[in-house]
């Protein structure tokens, strides 16, 4: 069994499931009663708030980085959404998730200058999550 | 003679209409990544053979990879390997190896055998085989340690 110390974790780069660099690990959270690690906090830079990631979301504490499972749900907000045939739908306004899985997304579309409408897409309608999210019609 | 002139002009009008469907449209890959916009169209024997797409790089995409439904945007049925260029490569233990500088493509297919990765101008290039790639999304994570 290989063991590591906080020196090996703090200051390391955090990468999500899409190999996206989230930031640098700055804190480790420990449950003082159960004596277990609860998670880590990632410094995402000056323009974004710190991100807490639960231990269940951590895939691996590697020598030079911390790898996380999947995508952080915050990363989905603001992404453009298009349909399978290229029609622009809108941008992701909110994400509903459960047990580290996306359950649904709410997409906001501008209709006119001052109006906008929200459309709800369950996970079954999401075809691909990349730079842009592709949904099935 | 006049009948022949009319036929050629007629064909030119039809091609012009088709070309307008594609020119300046934004192009998205299979994974939903934006590739660029259509800058030019390549014809052969009166048929469209490929599209010239300009984004971060210039890509010539075979027309067979273009999905037939044209809307606000053009959708591809592939993720062009040219998208690998510029992506950051991390090894299995999270060590940053550098960025993809070039790709060794197989003939004219959308496949590659290896890629060249370089950290900066002071370091040597490294050749990474396609089989070593574990994750290929926003960046690249390998299944081996360097």
């Amino acid at each position: 069994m290989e063991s590591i110390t906080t020196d090996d974790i703090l200051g390391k780069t955090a990468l999500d499931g899409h190999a996206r660099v989230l930031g640098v690990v700055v804190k480790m959270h420990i449950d003082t009663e159960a004596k277990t690690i609860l998670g880590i906090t990632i410094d995402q830079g000056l323009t974004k708030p710190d991100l807490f990631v639960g231990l269940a979301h951590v895939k691996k504490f590697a020598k030079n980085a911390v790898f996380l499972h999947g995508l952080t749900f915050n990363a989905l907000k603001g992404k453009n959404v298009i349909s399978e045939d290229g029609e622009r739908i809108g941008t992701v306004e909110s994400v509903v998730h459960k047990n580290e899985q996306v359950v649904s997304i709410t997409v906001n579309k501008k209709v006119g200058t001052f109006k906008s409408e929200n459309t709800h897409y369950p996970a079954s309608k999401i075809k691909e999550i990349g730079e842009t999210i592709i949904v099935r019609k | 003679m006049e009948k022949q002139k009319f036929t050629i002009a007629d064909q030119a009008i039809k091609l012009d209409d088709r070309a307008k469907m594609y020119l300046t449209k934004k192009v998205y890959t299979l994974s939903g990544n934006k590739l660029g916009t259509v800058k030019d169209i390549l014809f052969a024997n009166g048929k469209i053979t490929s599209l010239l797409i300009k984004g971060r790089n210039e890509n010539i995409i075979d027309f067979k990879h273009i999905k037939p439904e044209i809307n606000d945007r053009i959708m591809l049925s592939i993720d062009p390997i040219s998208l690998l260029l510029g992506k950051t490569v991390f090894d299995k233990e999270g060590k940053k190896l550098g960025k993809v500088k070039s790709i060794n493509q197989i003939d004219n297919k959308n496949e590659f055998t290896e890629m060249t990765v370089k950290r900066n101008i002071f370091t040597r290039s490294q050749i990474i085989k396609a089989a070593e790639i574990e994750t290929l999304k926003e960046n690249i994570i390998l299944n081996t340690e360097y």
Side-chain angles (χ1 to χ4, degrees):
Chain A
M1 184 184 73
E2 201 183 320
S3 67
I4 54 173
T5 66
T6 49
D7 278 349
D8 300 312
I9 298 167
L10 299 177
K12 291 282 171 7
T13 303
L15 294 164
D16 72 7
H18 279 210
R20 195 168 68 103
V21 176
L22 293 173
V24 174
V25 180
V26 290
K27 286 181 197 171
M28 181 172 264
H29 300 259
I30 297 169
D31 183 329
T32 51
E33 282 188 20
K35 296 170 203 164
T36 53
I37 298 169
L38 292 170
I40 55 174
T41 291
I42 298 165
D43 180 350
Q44 299 191 94
L46 289 170
T47 55
K48 292 181 185 177
D50 286 352
L51 178 69
F52 171 78
V53 173
L55 189 66
H57 215 74
V58 175
K59 185 179 176 184
K60 183 181 170 185
F61 289 108
K63 282 183 198 170
N64 301 292
V66 176
F67 292 99
L68 306 180
H69 285 296
L71 261 187
T72 52
F73 303 113
N74 274 341
L76 295 178
K77 285 185 193 171
K79 274 194 189 277
N80 286 325
V81 181
I82 58 176
S83 67
E84 281 181 297
D85 54 9
E87 184 193 340
R88 185 167 194 276
I89 294 171
T91 53
V92 177
E93 184 160 284
S94 62
V95 180
V96 175
H97 57 93
K98 189 180 176 184
N99 298 333
E100 313 299 333
Q101 299 283 334
V102 173
V103 171
S104 63
I105 58 172
T106 302
V107 180
N108 181 266
K109 182 180 180 178
K110 278 196 171 19
V111 181
T113 318
F114 301 107
K115 262 180 125 181
S116 63
E117 61 183 29
N118 286 344
T119 314
H120 192 72
Y121 289 91
S124 56
K125 288 275 188 182
I126 300 171
K127 187 180 177 187
E128 195 71 47
I129 296 177
E131 217 176 271
T132 306
I133 295 173
I134 301 176
V135 295
R136 292 184 180 90
K137 272 195 161 174
Chain B
M1 190 63 124
E2 279 182 12
K3 194 176 176 184
Q4 193 181 7
K5 271 188 187 174
F6 176 78
T7 305
I8 291 168
D10 198 30
Q11 273 188 354
I13 290 166
K14 282 182 185 167
L15 284 173
D16 191 44
D17 283 344
R18 288 193 68 196
K20 280 177 184 171
M21 279 169 62
Y22 298 103
L23 280 172
T24 71
K25 284 247 164 64
K26 290 177 189 171
V27 181
Y28 285 79
T29 69
L30 182 65
S31 298
N33 297 313
K34 187 181 169 190
L35 189 61
T37 49
V38 180
K39 290 295 179 192
D40 208 347
I41 299 166
L42 286 78
F43 291 93
N45 300 321
K47 288 182 182 176
I48 299 174
T49 57
S50 40
L51 303 181
L52 172 65
I53 297 157
K54 199 165 182 186
R56 205 166 16 137
N57 306 304
E58 259 187 21
N59 291 279
I60 295 178
I61 301 291
D62 197 309
F63 196 66
K64 69 181 180 190
H65 298 307
I66 310 288
K67 285 189 177 176
E69 306 87 18
I70 305 289
N71 218 309
D72 302 342
R73 291 154 174 77
I74 295 169
M75 304 298 289
L76 302 181
S77 58
I78 56 165
D79 284 314
I81 56 168
S82 60
L83 284 178
L84 285 173
L85 293 170
K87 283 194 192 285
T88 304
V89 181
F90 297 91
D91 79 355
K92 184 182 169 187
E93 293 296 330
K95 180 182 172 184
K96 189 174 170 183
L97 300 179
K99 293 195 175 189
V100 179
K101 294 296 178 191
S102 65
I103 305 161
N104 198 352
Q105 192 175 356
I106 299 171
D107 297 328
N108 288 323
K109 296 177 189 172
N110 192 43
E111 294 162 19
F112 67 103
T113 53
E114 52 194 32
M115 57 186 181
T116 306
V117 176
K118 196 167 170 154
R119 199 181 169 96
N120 54 51
I121 57 168
F122 304 108
T123 56
R124 270 189 187 175
S125 300
Q126 286 179 302
I127 308 287
I128 309 287
K129 288 190 167 54
E132 292 180 73
I133 296 174
E134 183 177 300
T135 302
L136 176 49
K137 293 278 185 180
E138 283 204 35
N139 290 307
I140 298 166
I141 300 174
L142 306 179
N143 54 27
T144 48
E145 186 179 354
Y146 273 77

